[in-house]
Amino acid sequence: MTSALCEFAALAIVKPECAAHVLHHFNPTEGHAPGSFFDHIVHAFAVADPVNSHRLTRAFPDYSMAVHLAQDHKLGMDTLRAIALKEHA
């Protein structure tokens, strides 16, 4: 998926709370910390190999997309910031 298409899809898939959790994982001064369960989910995505990432994606597609943006896209963190801001709009 191209970067622009991925970022556009994220606007529909990633919920503001999810975006804030992933932002916090990759930069603790941003977003807000999730509870321990979702903290483990974000960490699992961040370190998963492709097979296990696919398994996790079936259960948590929004977290999959958010971590993918943060790790693999130049503007991913900016996209997550924009989504997280919708939580307070």
Side-chain angles (χ1 to χ4, degrees):
M1 188 179 290
T2 68
S3 185
L5 183 58
C6 191
E7 290 159 2
F8 181 75
L11 296 173
I13 296 170
V14 178
K15 297 168 193 71
E17 182 178 35
C18 169
H21 293 165
V22 173
L23 278 171
H24 185 77
H25 177 81
F26 288 98
N27 184 355
T29 64
E30 295 188 76
H32 60 267
S36 63
F37 179 80
F38 282 105
D39 184 47
H40 288 292
I41 294 298
V42 174
H43 180 74
F45 271 113
V47 300
D49 60 70
V51 171
N52 286 308
S53 180
H54 179 71
R55 290 178 178 155
L56 287 165
T57 297
R58 293 178 68 196
F60 305 99
D62 51 345
Y63 281 88
S64 174
M65 176 66 78
V67 171
H68 173 67
L69 282 171
Q71 289 183 323
D72 301 324
H73 289 270
K74 183 177 179 179
L75 298 176
M77 293 293 280
D78 290 334
T79 303
L80 292 175
R81 285 181 196 100
I83 294 169
L85 286 174
K86 291 193 301 186
E87 185 173 51
H88 301 291

